[in-house]
Amino acid sequence: MDYNLLIGGSAGQGIDTLVTLLEKVLQRSSYYLFSNKDYMSRVRGGHNFSQIRFGTKTVHGHKNALDVIVAFDEKTVTEHLPRLKKGGKVVLDHSLKEDVKIPEGQSIYLPLKEGAKDLGNPKVFSVVLLGALINALDLDLKIGKKVIENTFEDKILEVNHKALIKGFEMDLESWNLEKPENTDQRIKINSNQGIALGALAAGVTLYSAYPMTPSTSIMDFLAANQKKAKIVVEQAEDEIAAINLAIGASYAGIRAMTGTSGGGFSLMTEALGLAAITETPLVVANVQRPGPATGFPTRTEQSDLSFILTASHGEIPRMVTSIRTGEEAFYKTANAFNLSEKYQTLVILLNDQYLADANQTIKPYDFSKVSIERHIAEEKDLPEGDYQRYRFTEEGISPRIIPGKIPGKTLLADSDEHNENGNITESAEMRIKMMDKRMKKLKALEKEVEEPWFMGTDNPEILLVGWGSTYGTLRETVEILQEEGHSIGALSFGDVYPLPKKTLEEKTKGAKKVINVEQNYTGQLAKLIRQETGITFDHSILKYDGRQIALEELIESVKEVL
Amino acid sequence: MDQKNIFDCSEEKAWCPGCGNHGLLEGIKQTLQELGKEPHEVVVASGIGQAAKLPHYINANGFNGLHGRSIPPALGIKIANRELTVIIHSGDGDSYGEGGNHFLHNVRRNVDISHFVHDNQIYGLTKGQASPTTRQGHVTGIQTEGVHLQPFNPIATAISLGCGFVARTFMGDKEHMVETMKAAVNHRGYALVDIFQPCVVFNKINTFKWYKDHVYKLEEDYDPTDKIAAFQKSLEFDDGIPIGIIYKEEKPAFLDTIEFLKDEKPLVDRDLDPKNAEMFMDEFY
């Protein structure tokens, strides 16, 4: 069973309240869900919607065909009716009856406004609606009540409680949905929250950032928990300050991280080089949105990959990893801290608006799987005499100490090219040695990166290649096309740089058609692959309208090039 | 020469002979020694510029970062380990020009660091262009008709932003400079000290003699806690420039304002355990 419900209206009407509550009820009813948000860069008005896709098996992404439209306004109906399945339903308030045209038998008008008004609080509209939907979806009213109790307090709780009952008693006809069998406990989380939780597990002690959609929810979550976690979440005066602050904190021995989007990342680029040349461990999250400049602030794109691979002047080592699911957001972030300290290097996490705002039900994170590996040198590991921050060693990584911890030992970090002591040098010979030392980290990182996930027919004739947030849709596309008898597979890259090549080379060898699927104009992963391996693509499926490719769209696009 | 200072460092200095930076370096070393600090307890942070080379010439921890970005790393260092004495040495261009935004907001943040600005009213490293503190009419290779912009007044700006320690000194008066530096390091909160120093190559107007002739010490009975009087003092320039602690106000430093960290050990000394974070997953069930 796989059910797709859209809730839409203008900003400020209460759609988020309904979405949050309904998602929670579905989650606690053991449904698997994946929901995504489409919203405009405004606080009131406009047209926003969420799609909640839920079912009795894992749901990996969003799709277009709708079973139900819950419309807070006329625009939601006109905008999305073409996507409503035959036999699908539109649920809306009585008052909209005059304004909309919905095919016979598909509309369900309810006295929602009236109901809320009767209760003396028009704001409970969303909860009246929730009550009605709980009934129609055959969900347990008790779960609904519990969710309301967890959300509201005192008088507000009382009136919402009544609103829930009022909606429930509107007694909608049941939509006869299949019940989930697997009742394992799951969490519902988005990937930005997964990143934040992963950072907390890894012992992040400072998070500095400047608010920027769609990255802000990382900071929101950390800030909401800063007191309990006893960490510093600092809103910097700008992104330049945010990253330099994190670098200073990391130099002084705590785990620090910064996160941003688009333009904020552009401002940080000089400091990426600073982290690299001073060999300071640093984790940076870039939650992509369409650029250039201000672009589409609240929409999605995968267009920062090419930029991030070379961001900063000069040449620096870095690891770039993209997030494919809410589940791996957690583990990847925690691991990023370990790798950044092991190799004293920069690790960039690439996420995007689609996945950052997508709630997914997943297996709870296993905190016992997270380890904290600091790689900090102690006095006994150091040779006699003055400490050299950039000492040449056999393994290529210089022992790193924390300032203030070893009497008699001081360290100097420098943004200029420097010698082993960290002092400025203009020596050609030293320059070569230091460049070699830093860039050699890429070789070491090649051994750390994870191969892309492969899905589908073992040696497929058609091979789709994507990265990051398209994973779920690639996976479902392959499953459906396989069922239709196609020899098809997909590679979904998480770690993108250094590029893991083994699986890619294996799978592309036998494939007749290799197609890259990306949310950008220039096919940035394909470019990277061509650059690193010489492998070229036969077709590209590229989308750069700020909206994530839906299941049906991808299937259709693949069929066009078969 | 004084007896050996534990902050001495043998690295060859890349400053011009006669540069004011030399005296300033001696001043900070003396300050730290007299305050009883140990090299490993001190971090000297800087941006880029002639002044910003200072961390290379002192036996202490150093963080020589990017141009204009001396303050943010220093803030990060202090957050990580409040037991470190964190000092910034950077120039007028780095501190007030490229890094102006950080200057404004870190005064507001009141982090417990001392910011020593080597103010020679010119760009030295890039060879003689106007800095934010260059006076109007000063002719340079770029400002060929003289500087049009009004000079930046760091003292007035800092006072207006509520800075708890605002001082000015002159490297030509070592005793005054060292006493001012000591007071700044001892101040709990952000302490700005604008330090006049000549650039012997590129500023032929504000020379050692010019500074010597123009500065005067604040009167004995001057009250640095009077904000209005301090503001008035901060406006004096052409007819004599007051040096000394111009404004002082005790207020909680940044880390003291974070209630839940107040009685904690330095963040860097914390034991990390992933299990401690598990409770933050609860809200997602």
Side-chain angles (χ1 to χ4, degrees):
Chain A
M1 191 280 278
D2 174 2
Y3 209 71
N4 200 15
L5 189 144
L6 180 143
I7 299 173
S10 65
Q13 274 191 315
I15 58 173
D16 276 348
T17 309
L18 176 60
V19 169
T20 307
L21 297 172
L22 181 60
E23 282 182 3
K24 203 86 231 175
V25 177
L26 288 167
Q27 176 198 4
R28 292 194 186 162
S29 308
S30 297
Y31 280 108
Y32 291 88
L33 74 83
F34 182 103
S35 75
N36 66 305
K37 270 188 170 45
D38 185 301
Y39 58 104
M40 299 173 81
S41 183
R42 52 194 288 178
V43 178
R44 291 282 181 272
H47 176 63
N48 295 351
F49 63 92
S50 280
Q51 297 188 149
I52 306 174
R53 188 178 161 206
F54 63 97
T56 48
K57 290 198 184 103
T58 310
V59 190
H60 297 281
H62 76 295
K63 56 190 236 181
N64 275 339
L66 298 168
D67 294 285
V68 175
I69 295 171
V70 178
F72 279 56
D73 61 4
E74 183 196 344
K75 170 103 175 158
T76 303
V77 180
T78 51
E79 190 89 355
H80 304 288
L81 200 58
R83 294 202 276 135
L84 189 66
K85 286 184 192 166
K86 252 190 191 159
K89 308 261 187 276
V90 185
V91 179
L92 65 180
D93 188 64
H94 257 314
S95 60
L96 294 168
K97 210 167 192 169
E98 304 287 297
D99 309 325
V100 296
K101 276 205 186 87
I102 300 167
E104 267 298 303
Q106 290 193 279
S107 59
I108 302 172
Y109 293 103
L110 298 171
L112 302 163
K113 261 191 193 162
E114 233 175 84
K117 219 172 135 192
D118 286 351
L119 295 169
N121 185 347
K123 279 192 183 161
V124 300
F125 179 93
S126 300
V127 176
V128 178
L129 195 43
L130 175 71
L133 292 172
I134 284 177
N135 196 352
L137 294 164
D138 281 331
L139 300 168
D140 189 344
L141 181 62
K142 268 190 241 151
I143 296 176
K145 282 183 182 168
K146 188 88 191 139
V147 167
I148 295 284
E149 280 160 24
N150 296 153
T151 312
F152 302 103
E153 277 177 346
D154 305 331
K155 281 215 165 120
I156 303 291
L157 169 63
E158 210 174 289
V159 66
N160 276 295
H161 205 258
K162 283 181 189 157
L164 184 75
I165 307 290
K166 193 157 202 111
F168 192 82
E169 285 174 353
M170 286 175 186
D171 216 7
L172 285 192
E173 201 178 311
S174 160
W175 296 336
N176 289 321
L177 301 191
E178 193 187 319
K179 294 273 171 217
E181 277 173 22
N182 187 341
T183 55
D184 291 348
Q185 217 178 18
R186 284 165 223 135
I187 55 168
K188 176 175 70 79
I189 198 162
N190 68 44
S191 61
N192 269 5
Q193 291 162 334
I195 288 172
L197 209 46
L200 283 172
V204 73
T205 317
L206 171 101
Y207 184 84
S208 50
Y210 186 87
M212 188 156 184
T213 308
S215 67
T216 315
S217 55
I218 300 174
M219 180 159 58
D220 283 340
F221 182 74
L222 292 170
N225 293 298
Q226 60 183 327
K227 197 170 170 179
K228 248 181 153 175
K230 295 193 171 174
I231 60 168
V232 176
V233 178
E234 186 61 8
Q235 182 179 322
E237 53 271 22
D238 53 37
E239 286 86 350
I240 297 171
I243 187 168
N244 279 281
L245 170 48
I247 292 170
S250 176
Y251 158 90
I254 61 172
R255 286 194 152 182
M257 177 178 173
T258 181
T260 185
S261 300
F265 192 83
S266 291
L267 286 178
M268 289 184 178
T269 52
E270 189 186 19
L272 300 178
L274 175 67
I277 198 167
T278 58
E279 305 196 42
T280 308
L282 185 67
V283 179
V284 182
N286 176 14
V287 187
Q288 300 165 96
R289 66 190 224 185
T294 311
F296 259 161
T298 61
R299 304 202 175 272
T300 202
E301 204 160 80
Q302 297 183 301
S303 52
D304 291 350
L305 176 61
S306 295
F307 168 51
I308 270 175
L309 293 171
T310 56
S312 159
H313 56 285
E315 294 165 301
I316 64 170
R318 74 196 81 201
M319 175 168 167
V320 182
T321 184
S322 66
I323 306 293
R324 291 168 290 196
T325 66
E327 187 167 355
E328 78 167 359
F330 173 81
Y331 298 103
K332 267 192 183 295
T333 306
N335 193 40
F337 281 93
N338 286 344
L339 291 174
S340 76
E341 291 206 290
K342 183 172 181 187
Y343 297 108
Q344 301 176 12
T345 192
L346 176 65
V347 180
I348 301 171
L349 300 168
L350 263 178
N351 200 12
D352 58 29
Q353 181 272 329
Y354 172 71
L355 210 57
D357 287 327
N359 281 323
Q360 292 174 266
T361 48
I362 55 169
K363 208 170 131 188
Y365 298 132
D366 185 350
F367 283 69
S368 68
K369 279 191 184 157
V370 175
S371 61
I372 293 176
E373 295 148 27
R374 301 293 317 265
H375 306 279
I376 287 165
E378 289 172 34
E379 192 165 10
K380 62 175 171 51
D381 310 325
L382 303 173
E384 296 267 314
D386 287 347
Y387 168 74
Q388 293 184 299
R389 175 65 188 90
Y390 303 106
R391 184 159 61 87
F392 297 120
T393 61
E394 245 168 72
E395 59 279 18
I397 306 293
S398 314
R400 167 176 163 242
I401 66 167
I402 291 177
K405 290 296 160 198
I406 308 175
K409 306 273 184 198
T410 58
L411 69 145
L412 176 60
D414 186 16
S415 73
D416 291 87
E417 190 55 275
H418 43 251
N419 58 23
E420 288 175 276
N421 296 325
N423 286 122
I424 299 173
T425 182
E426 306 224 6
S427 148
E429 190 194 349
M430 186 57 74
R431 163 69 175 177
I432 292 169
K433 279 177 145 179
M434 281 295 166
M435 278 296 285
D436 290 349
K437 164 171 149 51
R438 289 191 294 267
M439 296 308 282
K440 239 194 316 199
K441 294 178 185 181
L442 282 173
K443 275 269 165 262
L445 286 168
E446 277 174 17
K447 296 193 183 80
E448 299 280 356
V449 290
E450 187 201 27
E451 290 293 319
W453 291 340
F454 178 75
M455 303 150 291
T457 317
D458 251 352
N459 289 300
E461 286 180 18
I462 308 146
L463 180 69
L464 307 177
V465 180
W467 58 284
S469 65
T470 55
Y471 158 72
T473 303
L474 280 173
R475 179 177 170 156
E476 293 194 13
T477 298
V478 167
E479 281 168 7
I480 289 168
L481 291 176
Q482 261 187 306
E483 266 173 45
E484 291 181 10
H486 296 282
S487 168
I488 187 167
L491 283 176
S492 174
F493 281 82
D495 292 346
V496 281
Y497 195 78
L499 185 75
K501 301 185 188 110
K502 196 170 154 269
T503 314
L504 177 76
E505 279 165 355
E506 265 169 36
K507 297 292 175 187
T508 47
K509 235 174 239 164
K512 284 190 186 143
K513 269 185 187 159
V514 187
I515 305 165
N516 61 313
V517 179
E518 303 185 56
Q519 293 277 149
N520 57 49
Y521 185 89
T522 50
Q524 301 186 3
L525 178 69
K527 277 204 284 186
L528 173 66
I529 289 174
R530 196 162 63 237
Q531 172 190 311
E532 298 290 310
T533 66
I535 294 168
T536 55
F537 288 78
D538 303 297
H539 291 282
S540 295
I541 297 171
L542 303 171
K543 196 168 191 283
Y544 43 87
D545 60 358
R547 277 82 176 164
Q548 188 83 357
I549 195 161
L551 182 59
E552 297 91 332
E553 264 181 291
L554 183 55
I555 291 172
E556 201 179 310
S557 302
V558 173
K559 282 183 174 171
E560 271 172 25
V561 293
L562 283 184
Chain B
M1 187 75 200
D2 302 342
Q3 65 193 83
K4 190 169 157 50
N5 185 304
I6 49 167
F7 290 90
D8 282 342
C9 167
S10 59
E11 186 71 10
E12 187 201 342
K13 296 169 197 68
W15 292 325
C16 307
C19 173
N21 284 324
H22 294 287
L24 237 145
L25 172 64
E26 292 312 309
I28 186 62
K29 289 193 295 190
Q30 188 183 330
T31 299
L32 293 169
Q33 169 121 317
E34 288 179 12
L35 288 174
K37 304 281 179 192
E38 295 282 333
H40 73 282
E41 300 168 343
V42 177
V43 182
V44 183
S46 70
I48 292 297
Q50 293 294 4
K53 293 176 183 169
L54 193 140
H56 293 275
Y57 311 137
I58 185 167
N59 178 32
N61 296 296
F63 189 91
N64 183 183
L66 297 171
H67 185 50
R69 318 300 165 205
S70 60
I71 310 181
L75 167 64
I77 292 162
K78 191 71 189 181
I79 289 174
N81 188 354
R82 61 167 68 176
E83 286 175 357
L84 292 170
T85 297
V86 183
I87 292 166
I88 296 171
H89 276 273
S90 244
D92 39 332
D94 189 272
S95 300
Y96 305 141
E98 186 99 7
N101 200 29
H102 310 308
F103 169 60
L104 297 183
H105 295 285
N106 282 289
V107 169
R108 294 178 52 223
R109 206 173 256 124
N110 198 29
V111 59
D112 186 14
I113 52 181
S114 322
H115 188 173
F116 298 133
V117 181
H118 299 214
D119 187 357
N120 55 12
Q121 301 182 261
I122 205 77
Y123 278 17
L125 191 71
T126 52
K127 304 194 171 176
Q129 302 82 9
S131 92
T133 52
T134 307
R135 308 302 284 179
Q136 276 178 316
H138 189 136
V139 175
T140 80
I142 300 289
Q143 288 77 22
T144 53
E145 305 303 307
V147 172
H148 298 297
L149 280 69
Q150 297 175 59
F152 180 75
N153 184 334
I155 305 295
T157 305
I159 294 170
S160 75
L161 289 167
C163 187
F165 187 101
V166 187
R168 182 168 251 161
T169 184
F170 169 43
M171 56 70 59
D173 185 341
K174 192 174 183 188
E175 198 188 326
H176 188 270
M177 175 173 66
V178 168
E179 286 314 307
T180 312
M181 282 178 166
K182 278 187 197 167
V185 173
N186 283 332
H187 175 74
R188 198 173 170 94
Y190 179 85
L192 173 73
V193 186
D194 188 80
I195 307 172
F196 284 141
Q197 61 150 109
C199 173
V200 291
V201 178
F202 296 110
N203 191 339
K204 302 292 187 192
I205 296 174
N206 310 103
T207 58
F208 188 93
K209 184 173 183 311
W210 188 93
Y211 286 120
K212 204 164 187 299
D213 292 346
H214 280 74
V215 299
Y216 75 91
K217 284 181 192 159
L218 286 167
E219 302 78 5
E220 289 276 306
D221 61 350
Y222 175 77
D223 175 12
T225 64
D226 181 343
K227 199 167 186 174
I228 302 296
F231 193 72
Q232 271 171 344
K233 277 283 169 212
S234 76
L235 302 177
E236 292 180 17
F237 204 90
D238 294 327
D239 301 323
I241 310 166
I243 57 171
I245 299 168
I246 297 169
Y247 185 64
K248 194 164 163 48
E249 183 188 345
E250 299 295 333
K251 53 176 87 183
F254 175 68
L255 286 171
D256 300 330
T257 62
I258 305 174
E259 204 58 40
F260 58 86
L261 291 180
K262 239 177 163 174
D263 305 316
E264 292 287 311
K265 56 186 177 186
L267 296 180
V268 70
D269 294 334
R270 185 177 291 180
D271 296 318
L272 305 180
D273 181 354
K275 282 271 170 201
N276 294 343
E278 194 157 7
M279 61 178 168
F280 300 114
M281 187 165 64
D282 289 351
E283 67 179 271
F284 299 106
Y285 281 101

